[in-house]
Amino acid sequence: MCNSPTAAKPRLFLIALLLFAFTPVLAQHPAVPSAPPEIFTDVTQQAGITWKQFSGESPDRFLIETMGGGVGFLDFDGDGLLDIFFVNGGETPHGKSSVPVRNALYRNLGNGRFEDVAGRAGVDRIDFYGMGVAAADYDNDGHSDLFITGYPACALFHNNGNGTFTDVSAKAGVKNEGRWAASAAWFDYDRDGYLDLVVTNYAQFSFDNPKKCEVNGVRSYCEQVAYGGMPLTLYHNNRDGTFTDVSKGSGLAKLVGRALGVVAIDVNDDGWPDLFIARDASPNLLLMNQKNGTFEDAGVDAEVAYTADGAAKAGMGVDAGDISGDGIPDFILTNFNDQYHSLFVGSKTFPYLDRTVASHLAAMSKPFVGWGVKFLDYDNDGNLDVVLVNGHINEVIESTRGDVKYREPPLLLHNDGHGILENVRERAGPTFDANFVARALATGDFDNDGDTDIVFTTLDGPPHLLRNNARERNAWIGLKLQGTKSNRDAIGSKITVISSKARLVRWITGGSSYLSSHDPRVLVGLGQLPAGAEIAVEIHWPSGHIQKLSGIKPNRYIPIVEVP
């Protein structure tokens, strides 16, 4: 029979012979290499993050419903791992939640997972509509505190150092009552070694006064110009746990407008921190520190306040960094659709150079409404790239515009080293090929592997935690500064990192992005370095002291304590 064991032996022998004969041929054709990994992977679910933002959306269409969802990276328990704090919105008169509206504090467990400890930490509930967060050690006790913005008040939570916080808002005098506060930034404007606080107030607003606007007969959110602007708030740290409102004496109280994003950085390299304020349908502000407790606006002289046609854009988020590689701070801002996001490149003298079109940022951002934005070197090649998130205000926009959508993609923009930006959506990961109604964005290295990770929030939806896969395995150095004469967080420091290939300048800024707080450490990409390479670091501390270190090995985090 043809299927007997004896008959099968010749057939098996023939198959073996053919396989042996073709083995050398097969060996000459190596396996097709797998596709390079995506730059960012969404690890939100694996991390155990389940919190969602609640906006209080209602038929009243209060503008505040469209604006919230703050987020911050901080190491609240001092274990060397970045935790994440999310600020929820709140209920409105006709926008009620079926469950309590709570903030979330996700403690980093060190294994890629997080645990929400907001309840036992005492920061899960606030008695106002929440917006943003600014984390810093305002009393120099070694623990990161939390300032939460919102309407019609703000809150300061003091870190007790034992995993819990205490609401000290009333005692500290920073409640900012009656105002709709958006972003905030800690910075030491008088260089006394204690962090002061600036708050961007957005618009005149009340739940008792819903404004009525329609698009094609459909109730919609009114434009921002229907709301009058507000002045900024500046609190001076009295070094005893209390603050004094110095808005009037500093000159900030007279600067009325719709302020949103803020970043504190020393613009003119005189050792004193200045402020850039992104404002919505109000001229942007570049507030220069006069070294005597006052600020003067140089936005017009620097040509960052208006467009060339004299119009004020709808600015939301802002960040500062050296994208051009000349050691001078540059600024990036997110704006409304059709206005383009803005890139201003600095020089030793005003005005700034508007590189929005030349960098290709204009072409890539025209249809989008932008919010959170950060400079970051995602591939550690030494050049600052850009990440930003988008999302429209009105769903009805799609009934009037075919090219503008309600849900919009985030953008990861690679810097070619000459200030030209490229959208790397195809290899950035699925998140950058999806659409969201995104708002706040923060950056930090949550897994301590030497590359910058990202977290952003979405309106009435979940946040997204993106792990950086460091596709390019370039060298890097991480610096964790601790001030002694300067404020303990070393906010305001200027850091220069020198390698055999480059001289790179970075700053520890206050604020930045939109409603967000970031990894206080400085992560500097160094590109490809030869084996055994060493680097040098020069730090200009806020106190004015200059500290130099050499012989530093790359690819590690290094703590540096100020030595006057």
Side-chain angles (χ1 to χ4, degrees):
M1 296 180 61
C2 63
N3 60 350
S4 68
T6 303
K9 288 181 181 179
R11 183 180 301 169
L12 291 172
F13 177 80
L14 179 60
I15 293 173
L17 182 63
L18 288 172
L19 287 173
F20 177 80
F22 280 96
T23 297
V25 177
L26 294 173
Q28 294 172 11
H29 296 79
V32 177
S34 60
E38 61 201 23
I39 299 171
F40 286 95
T41 300
D42 190 326
V43 295
T44 312
Q45 291 186 350
Q46 300 95 303
I49 295 174
T50 59
W51 175 89
K52 291 185 178 181
Q53 197 265 355
F54 180 78
S55 72
E57 181 181 351
S58 70
D60 297 313
R61 291 296 187 261
F62 291 109
L63 187 59
I64 199 170
E65 299 168 7
T66 72
M67 307 279 284
V71 61
F73 276 119
L74 75 158
D75 180 9
F76 85 93
D77 54 1
D79 65 354
L81 299 169
L82 286 181
D83 312 300
I84 309 175
F85 184 71
F86 294 104
V87 181
N88 219 324
E91 295 184 326
T92 59
H94 298 104
K96 303 301 182 181
S97 175
S98 59
V99 296
V101 180
R102 297 182 182 276
N103 306 317
L105 176 59
Y106 280 96
R107 180 174 179 266
N108 191 335
L109 301 178
N111 56 1
R113 292 190 58 80
F114 291 77
E115 174 192 13
D116 186 3
V117 297
R120 63 176 182 259
V123 292
D124 58 328
R125 301 295 298 273
I126 51 177
D127 59 1
F128 54 88
Y129 191 105
M131 289 288 293
V133 59
D137 181 6
Y138 74 87
D139 56 354
N140 292 337
D141 67 353
H143 308 296
S144 292
D145 310 298
L146 289 169
F147 182 75
I148 303 174
T149 63
Y151 170 81
C154 296
L156 178 61
F157 286 90
H158 177 261
N159 189 331
N160 300 318
N162 60 0
T164 68
F165 291 78
T166 299
D167 186 343
V168 296
S169 312
K171 175 185 175 182
V174 292
K175 294 189 73 171
N176 200 44
E177 290 181 292
R179 294 182 172 184
W180 175 0
S183 299
W186 294 100
F187 75 129
D188 184 6
Y189 77 84
D190 57 354
R191 293 174 51 181
D192 66 351
Y194 282 77
L195 291 172
D196 311 299
L197 180 67
V198 62
V199 181
T200 63
N201 299 304
Y202 181 58
Q204 299 175 24
F205 176 82
S206 171
F207 284 129
D208 297 327
N209 181 29
K211 298 182 181 294
K212 297 182 180 180
C213 296
E214 293 184 348
V215 175
N216 294 335
V218 178
R219 183 75 178 267
S220 66
Y221 295 102
C222 294
E223 295 183 3
Q224 74 281 71
V225 292
Y227 299 82
M230 292 289 290
L232 304 166
T233 304
L234 180 62
Y235 291 108
H236 176 259
N237 191 330
N238 298 325
R239 299 185 287 180
D240 60 359
T242 69
F243 293 77
T244 299
D245 187 339
V246 294
S247 307
K248 184 176 181 179
S250 66
L252 269 62
K254 65 183 180 183
L255 301 171
V256 176
R258 304 171 197 87
L260 288 173
V262 55
V263 63
I265 191 171
D266 182 3
V267 170
N268 55 0
D269 204 29
D270 65 354
W272 294 76
D274 311 297
L275 295 170
F276 195 115
I277 312 288
R279 301 204 298 180
D280 189 5
S282 305
N284 298 320
L285 304 174
L286 183 59
L287 304 181
M288 305 303 295
N289 193 327
Q290 301 301 296
K291 311 177 188 179
N292 59 2
T294 68
F295 292 81
E296 292 291 336
D297 180 25
V300 173
D301 291 341
E303 297 185 5
V304 299
Y306 301 94
T307 67
D309 298 328
K313 288 187 177 183
M316 267 73 93
V318 61
D319 193 23
D322 180 16
I323 195 172
S324 58
D326 61 0
I328 299 172
D330 310 310
F331 294 97
I332 189 164
L333 287 84
T334 51
N335 300 301
F336 213 74
N337 61 267
D338 300 327
Q339 297 180 345
Y340 319 121
H341 303 334
S342 301
L343 178 62
F344 297 111
V345 174
S347 64
K348 292 183 178 180
T349 58
F350 292 156
Y352 276 73
L353 177 64
D354 188 337
R355 293 277 299 175
T356 304
V357 174
S359 67
H360 300 169
L361 181 60
M364 293 183 286
S365 63
K366 183 180 185 298
F368 301 136
V369 177
W371 301 89
V373 59
K374 281 292 290 179
F375 287 118
L376 78 169
D377 183 3
Y378 73 80
D379 55 359
N380 285 340
D381 66 353
N383 302 314
L384 287 183
D385 312 301
V386 175
V387 63
L388 57 90
V389 292
N390 305 293
H392 213 278
I393 296 289
N394 277 312
E395 287 188 81
V396 295
I397 188 64
E398 297 186 14
S399 68
T400 63
R401 293 281 298 269
D403 60 329
V404 178
K405 305 299 181 183
Y406 179 59
R407 299 180 183 277
E408 300 173 335
L411 297 176
L412 182 64
L413 309 179
H414 181 261
N415 178 4
D416 71 350
H418 303 285
I420 304 300
L421 300 174
E422 174 197 4
N423 188 348
V424 293
R425 182 187 64 187
E426 293 79 7
R427 59 183 188 275
T431 302
F432 292 88
D433 205 26
N435 298 311
F436 307 92
V437 188
R439 292 298 182 257
L441 175 146
T443 58
D445 183 7
F446 79 83
D447 51 4
N448 287 340
D449 63 351
D451 52 48
T452 304
D453 308 303
I454 297 166
V455 63
F456 67 89
T457 64
T458 63
L459 199 65
D460 284 312
H464 293 268
L465 178 63
L466 307 182
R467 186 191 65 221
N468 188 332
N469 297 311
R471 208 165 54 113
E472 305 292 341
R473 304 317 304 179
N474 286 319
W476 57 276
I477 190 70
L479 306 173
K480 180 173 175 54
L481 273 57
Q482 178 182 321
T484 52
K485 185 177 180 182
S486 304
N487 67 87
R488 187 180 176 96
D489 285 350
I491 294 173
S493 296
K494 175 183 177 182
I495 300 109
T496 303
V497 177
I498 304 127
S499 72
S500 59
K501 290 196 170 185
R503 183 182 182 92
L504 303 170
V505 178
R506 302 290 185 261
W507 294 264
I508 300 181
T509 61
S512 86
S513 191
Y514 171 77
L515 309 182
S516 303
S517 199
H518 315 277
D519 191 341
R521 300 171 297 182
V522 178
L523 181 59
V524 184
L526 301 170
Q528 294 290 326
L529 292 181
E534 296 181 344
I535 62 173
V537 175
E538 181 177 294
I539 302 168
H540 286 239
W541 295 89
S543 65
H545 176 67
I546 299 175
Q547 190 171 344
K548 298 181 179 181
L549 303 93
S550 60
I552 298 174
K553 298 290 186 181
N555 302 326
R556 65 200 66 196
Y557 280 100
I558 299 176
I560 301 176
V561 178
E562 180 181 15
V563 180

